[in-house]
Amino acid sequence: MSMQDQLVRRAQAGDHEAFGALVHAVIGRLYASARLILRDPDKAEDVVQDVLISAWRDVRALRDPGRWDAWLHRLLVRSCYRAAKQHRRREYVEIPFALDYDSAARDDLALVGLRDQLERAFDRLSTDQRMVLVLAYFADLSLLDISTALDIPIGTTKSRLHRAMAVLRAEIDSDARLATAVDGRTA
Amino acid sequence: MLPPIDLERQVRLMLEARAPHREPDRTFASVMEATRRVRQRPRYIASLLGHDAGWAAVAIRRVAPVFAVVSLAVAVLWSVGSPGRGGSPDLIPSPVHPTASSSPSLRASPPAIAEGEAWIAARIEGPGGPSRIELMRPDGSGRHLFAPAVEGPASYPDWSPDGRRIAFVADRLGSVWVAGADGTGAVQVASCTGSCSHPSWSPDGTRIAFTEYEGDEVTVGPTASSIRIVGLDGSNVTSIRSVIRLERPLIVDVPRWSPDSTLLVIAVDRFDPAGFETGAAIGTVPSSGGQIKYLTSFEEFAYYPDWSWATDTIVYSTEVIASKASPDPGDETWNLFTIRPDGSGATMLTDLSRGSRLAGPSWTPDGTRIIATRDDTHSGAFVDAASGLVTLIPGTDGASHLRLRPTP
């Protein structure tokens, strides 16, 4: 049994300290996922708090400790949907600060301008599409775990992921074509 | 046209770069502070036992959460006395959970259980701690610890038909015991390979049906369960046999006797491979063994049945514990239903508002009321069997699995 599984077991038995260790290990990634999905740091904090309180309250309903991550993300998805509904009343897009960028990751962005295009395209995606991309490419969940988190069949997960990527690619292509046209006129 | 790129890799890099690389400043501390005040829901509970021996016994506790329509006076009192009200519904105040060492009411000599006097036996779940059984009068007075001489916590009380003895489960030992109402004369009458649960006296007091769970150390929750019956002559065991055994994805649970003892009403839970509940149904099975006759569909999530010996009517609740369809149990509404033993006449007895939960119903001996639990605070409530009116029972904080003493 892994250390995490043992901690889950202890949390299920009411060990608050074990739960604290679990929270400490996941809170940063949960917050980051929520912030990527919601694009609102305050809402993301509220969501993470909501998720973790629910996790403590209902951890005994989790029968397989190995499903802890998938279960947490399922709670996260639910909470994000709720927050997103409330959020529609005053929609805004978070503009990330440069300080938030990891230098190694920045160096890896070899294609000049692609990052900005990707971010713009990502911001134009629906909540559903952002969610599936974050779960797949940031939280690194398996297709099964994403299906569990989103409460949809694996086939639907695959098609939603495929569609989100297709929209991203189309947005980038569109930006590129626009830039080429502008360049042609100004040349 | 954009040159060919590895879009997946670029999306990963973009997300990683864009994500904040620090924890939120306030959330960890506020979560830990908040969770200290939030009670864990006692659903299927993995009770780690015998750490040194490296084994774990899995105890299934489909405890009845509940919600109620409250009388105005009780609601106001509760609201006034609850600092968490008005904030997040999750942040309920910790109910008073007296312990044997700290509570004056439990340190004092317990009141005598007078012949013919009505008492409630209830399972009490401490905040994150082990369960125990406490007794209280129906008006909440005289609350005290039921303290049989057994190792570890006790739970799942059931009164004998004459009201003189209580069958219960010793959690740590994973066995069924019987003791006098004052806790004296405790004797073990059955043991289980995994853990025992839900002992239930037959109407003539000569048998106890119970659930045996078979678990392992890897899976939280049982891999199989059986309904078994132990025969008693006084406190002496005369026989023990199995009525029915089911393996996952089905788990059989919560046996309760028919008035003539020929049948047991039982609950059957259905799970998917990931351990999520996909349905629950109630049915009857001959107490001599045989096939289940289902009274409800699995989609109804019918659970925790009890059979009135006075009115030959079955009550059950609709409890959803952890299904994919409703991963947030806080959104669920659990109501009480009644049904005839042949499966006809299913009637919705209570009609609670969304998010309200009544569970763990048990008939009062005269069949006029049902005693149940409310999920969020685990306090007891009476439900009128005719009108469905719900009335909270004062002084039952932390209580679930309530049983009213027969008073012949």
Side-chain angles (χ1 to χ4, degrees), chain A residues 9 57 60 63 74 140, chain B residues 12 44 90 217 220 321:
Chain A
R9 280 286 187 85
R57 187 188 60 194
R60 289 171 174 177
R63 289 170 188 76
R74 193 159 58 106
D140 271 331
Chain B
R12 285 182 186 277
Y44 287 84
D90 291 322
E217 292 192 37
V220 177
I321 51 168

Side-chain angles (χ1 to χ4, degrees), chain A residues 165-183:
Chain A
M165 291 294 275
V167 171
L168 269 187
R169 185 176 287 280
E171 294 276 3
I172 294 167
D173 284 349
S174 172
D175 273 4
R177 277 195 298 273
L178 184 63
T180 303
V182 170
D183 288 347

Side-chain angles (χ1 to χ4, degrees), chain B residues 180-349:
Chain B
D182 59 0
T184 60
V187 293
Q188 178 177 315
V189 297
S191 61
C192 296
T193 54
S195 62
C196 300
S197 187
H198 295 100
S200 171
W201 288 91
S202 64
D204 64 2
T206 62
R207 287 171 288 177
I208 294 174
F210 61 97
T211 310
E212 175 177 27
Y213 300 115
E214 301 168 37
D216 58 41
E217 292 192 37
V218 178
T219 308
V220 177
T223 53
S225 69
S226 305
I227 301 299
R228 301 174 72 195
I229 293 175
V230 57
L232 297 176
D233 177 9
S235 294
N236 298 318
V237 175
T238 57
S239 64
I240 188 161
R241 60 184 174 80
S242 179
V243 175
I244 188 169
R245 180 179 182 275
L246 296 179
E247 295 180 356
R248 284 178 81 158
L250 299 179
I251 294 294
V252 63
D253 206 358
V254 200
R256 301 292 289 172
W257 293 85
S258 66
D260 63 3
S261 301
T262 59
L263 295 171
L264 294 166
V265 63
I266 44 93
V268 179
D269 253 327
R270 187 180 65 192
F271 299 96
D272 68 8
F276 293 110
E277 186 185 40
T278 60
I282 65 165
T284 58
V285 63
S287 56
S288 55
Q291 297 297 310
I292 297 173
K293 177 191 173 188
Y294 285 103
L295 305 182
T296 68
S297 70
F298 278 89
E299 286 66 34
E300 291 174 64
F301 283 90
Y303 196 76
Y304 216 105
D306 190 31
W307 202 321
S308 170
W309 298 341
T311 63
D312 201 21
T313 304
I314 292 167
V315 66
Y316 61 92
S317 54
T318 50
E319 303 178 26
V320 182
I321 51 168
S323 73
K324 282 181 182 171
S326 54
D328 185 350
D331 291 341
E332 290 297 331
T333 304
W334 298 355
N335 273 296
L336 301 189
F337 291 73
T338 56
I339 193 170
R340 284 192 279 272
D342 62 1
S344 66
T347 303
M348 186 173 177
L349 179 61

Side-chain angles (χ1 to χ4, degrees), chain B residues 369-388:
Chain B
R369 291 184 295 171
I370 294 152
I371 190 168
T373 329
R374 47 180 286 176
D375 180 44
D376 51 353
T377 60
H378 286 189
S379 56
F382 280 116
V383 181
D384 187 274
S387 66

Side-chain angles (χ1 to χ4, degrees), chain B residues 135-148:
Chain B
L135 305 183
M136 61 212 75
R137 296 188 182 92
D139 63 2
S141 66
R143 180 168 169 171
H144 65 277
L145 186 68
F146 171 73

